[in-house]
Amino acid sequence: MKNRILLYLTILSLFSFNNYAQKAKVSNADKKYDNYAYIDAIKTYEHVSDKGYKSAEMFQKLGNAYFFNAELDKAAKWYGELFALTSDVDPEYYYRYAHCLRSIGQNDKANEMLKLYNEKSDKPGKGESYIKEINYLDKIKANSGRYKIKDAGVNSQYSDYGSSFYNGKLVFTSSRDTGSLGQRKHTWTDQYFTNLYESNLTGDSLTPGSPKKFSKSVKSKFHEASAIFTNDGKTMYFTRNNYLEGKKGKDGNKVTLIKIYKASFVNNDWANIVELPFNSDNYSTAHPALSVDEKTLYFASDMPGTLGESDIFRVSINSDGSYGTPENLGKTINTAGKETFPFVTDDNEIYFASDTHSGLGGLDIFVSEIKTDGTFGEVQNVGADVNSPKDDFAYLINTKDRIGFFSSNRENGKGYDDIYQFLETRPIKCKYELNGVITELVSAEILPNSKMSLYDDQHKLLKTTESDDKGYYSFEIEGQKTYSVRAEKEEYTTTEKTVTIAEKDCKTQLNLTFEKALCKVAVGDDLGKCFGIKWIYFEFDKSTIKPEAALDLAKILDVMGEYPNMKIDIRSHTDSRGTSKYNEGLSDRRAKSTKEWLIINGINPNRLSSKGYGENQLVNNCSDGVKCSEDEHQQNRRSEFIITAL
């Protein structure tokens, strides 16, 4: 994005310039520079540089001209020439050079320049915040890959940016020339002054149609940009140069800054345009955004109290239509650099653009949670899909379908700035959830209306809920912590499980199963089902009882001790793999081993019988020649303890 007052709110420092052989040409270029005719100045400076003329001041101005127009790769070239010539420069040039180096991937050299900036500057905070995260690229990488991006289809060869939703339309800013008589260009960027345009959004994909001008009643002969609307469509806030009712305001340096204005929708058009009371001729306010309840207005400004070059502020909108005192969002959001283009979602998130939070170069888009007490959560870079080494800004999203738009001057665009559409495929931050289904151990029957309790790692009760009619429960939790979930229900034994939540696991499933507190059995029932015994464990291809099997057999032993008249028929089954004869022999040996274990441990032999059935009683279709999964084969490998007498 080429720099403009609308976007950057930058107050330029102008530099004196001396020369000898090329004095006349350079002097002429200086005048153009001072009047913001940067494009012509660049041409002149580069011509004299090509002829071998070198000057620290000229390299400064060349670097600045590209830097202020956000062509950071070209700015890096000329700042490099400056530092090759001298290191006796204002500390700000160390910062600017580092910023440009980072945009072209020269991070090590950028950090060197930032360290020098910190040493030389009396306000090193900007440099410190820029290098505070050594692993910032890893964090950006982790947040990348979340978007599908395409051209929005509304772009021109000029500057198009800053969109908002309004009555099924996309309203955006453009400097395109649509044929109006007297259309004027800004000498700074050689672009037409911006106006508001609209485009109908169609279908579930919110595809923009052909753009047309928004409203003549809002248009002035200067810039209009960044319009937003209340939900009822009756109020609009927008950015405009300091110009109202034919009068142009200027600051002490005779510069026309920008202000936020309000308009009302009356008789099918916009009217009653007024500037907001916290505006001033001496600083800029721009890029308004509304909270979900429309009681707070967010905006960018360089007003007194700004921490850096421009900050994001908020101001309350009172019920009588008046406004409170603007409040700086503070150091979590704002830095010593530029923060601009806020946007607030109905998920209580604020998106904004910054050139100083750790990014990929130029302006990057960031997001932070707005907490219930008005403070802000960790600021996160939204990732390399939306962000690039160039300027990326003006993020807008429909949180229901996760479709949105952003603006960028990245490579291979159609114009000066372009609007891109995106689909967000996964959220940037987990809303951690622990959930599961409650079932009965033996039958796998869904058990609704179970009491569910959540405990922390110190076994402190945090929350309680009930499983629904489908046996489902859910708890909102925090990541990277350990929790225990307890399930309670009448006629069932209380059960509890513990789980540790990994940072990457937004949703963790923890299913719980109940055992019946009283297992009622009759002749013909499988006693093993009372204890969830599906099979007795043996070594592969052997019939020797393993320790795991002994534990289950001890349960059968105990019940038979309690009921001395109970008799059991032990049945062992295999899957279909292997020959039928071999499987029958193996299962018979295993059934006999099970019987012998019970006899050795005190059960009278006349209370026990045993038989191996091999693969003769499969519970599914996994017979010879049928391709089945391991789980399907496992269903056939089972042990049964059928009650034959009580």
Side-chain angles (χ1 to χ4, degrees), residues 83 91 93-99 101-102 107-132 134:
F83 281 97
Y93 286 95
Y94 287 89
Y95 178 82
R96 291 181 190 173
Y97 188 30
H99 190 73
L101 289 169
R102 182 163 286 183
N107 295 307
D108 291 341
K109 190 172 182 179
N111 286 340
E112 290 178 13
M113 301 307 292
L114 286 168
K115 290 176 182 177
L116 290 170
Y117 170 81
N118 291 341
E119 293 172 3
K120 297 175 180 293
S121 174
D122 57 354
K123 296 179 180 179
K126 184 161 64 172
E128 290 172 352
S129 63
Y130 208 51
I131 62 175
K132 65 181 178 181
I134 297 175

Side-chain angles (χ1 to χ4, degrees), residues 302-551:
D302 59 352
M303 63 172 52
T306 300
L307 303 177
E309 296 173 54
S310 68
D311 284 2
I312 298 174
F313 290 78
R314 62 185 169 195
V315 63
S316 60
I317 303 174
N318 301 321
S319 57
D320 61 359
S322 63
Y323 298 84
T325 302
E327 172 194 4
N328 190 298
L329 295 195
K331 292 183 178 180
T332 300
I333 300 296
N334 294 314
T335 69
K338 302 184 187 76
E339 278 70 46
T340 186
F341 283 100
F343 172 71
V344 178
T345 73
D346 52 11
D347 290 332
N348 284 322
E349 294 173 319
I350 181 169
Y351 289 85
F352 62 97
S354 172
D355 68 355
T356 304
H357 285 289
S358 297
L360 299 176
L363 288 171
D364 272 25
I365 295 168
F366 297 85
V367 62
S368 174
E369 178 189 3
I370 305 175
K371 298 184 179 181
T372 54
D373 62 358
T375 60
F376 298 91
E378 177 189 6
V379 171
Q380 295 194 68
N381 187 298
V382 301
D385 313 286
V386 166
N387 289 322
S388 71
K390 298 292 185 176
D391 281 323
D392 308 286
F393 56 100
Y395 188 96
L396 170 72
I397 188 171
N398 180 327
T399 56
K400 291 188 174 76
D401 53 31
R402 311 311 293 180
I403 294 174
F405 299 84
F406 71 96
S407 306
S408 178
N409 70 332
R410 62 188 55 196
E411 299 292 343
N412 302 316
K414 187 174 182 179
Y416 205 59
D417 298 307
D418 291 300
I419 298 173
Y420 294 86
Q421 187 177 36
F422 65 78
L423 170 65
E424 186 186 56
T425 58
R426 64 178 173 88
I428 190 170
K429 185 178 181 181
C430 282
K431 291 184 177 179
Y432 290 101
E433 179 183 321
L434 178 59
N435 61 48
V437 176
I438 311 303
T439 58
E440 199 274 322
L441 177 64
V442 177
S443 66
E445 175 188 357
I446 295 294
L447 294 178
N449 308 120
S450 302
K451 180 183 177 182
M452 308 300 300
S453 303
L454 179 71
Y455 296 86
D456 64 13
D457 58 355
Q458 302 298 314
H459 217 71
K460 177 184 177 182
L461 179 63
L462 301 177
K463 300 176 182 178
T464 60
T465 187
E466 272 197 357
S467 60
D468 64 16
D469 58 355
K470 296 180 180 178
Y472 179 83
Y473 78 92
S474 175
F475 289 111
E476 288 186 9
I477 55 171
E478 297 179 17
Q480 295 182 285
K481 289 190 175 182
T482 298
Y483 297 93
S484 293
V485 177
R486 178 183 296 175
E488 300 171 82
K489 190 173 179 65
E490 287 187 9
E491 299 185 4
Y492 293 89
T493 302
T494 298
T495 184
E496 183 173 305
K497 284 186 178 180
T498 299
V499 63
T500 298
I501 309 301
E503 182 180 12
K504 64 179 180 180
D505 294 335
C506 297
K507 291 189 176 182
T508 301
Q509 187 175 49
L510 186 67
N511 297 328
L512 288 90
T513 55
F514 277 123
E515 292 185 51
K516 288 185 177 180
L518 294 174
C519 182
K520 298 178 182 179
V521 293
V523 172
D525 289 342
D526 181 0
L527 180 60
K529 287 186 176 180
C530 283
F531 306 105
I533 302 172
K534 296 180 180 179
W535 60 86
I536 297 299
Y537 292 90
F538 296 89
E539 296 287 353
F540 175 71
D541 208 28
K542 295 181 180 179
S543 55
T544 304
I545 300 292
K546 292 183 67 176
E548 300 97 306
L551 176 61

Side-chain angles (χ1 to χ4, degrees), residues 579-596:
T579 67
S580 177
K581 183 178 180 180
Y582 178 82
N583 286 336
E584 188 172 338
L586 177 63
S587 64
D588 195 60
R589 292 192 298 274
R590 289 178 171 177
K592 287 179 179 177
S593 293
T594 303
K595 176 182 174 182
E596 289 301 320

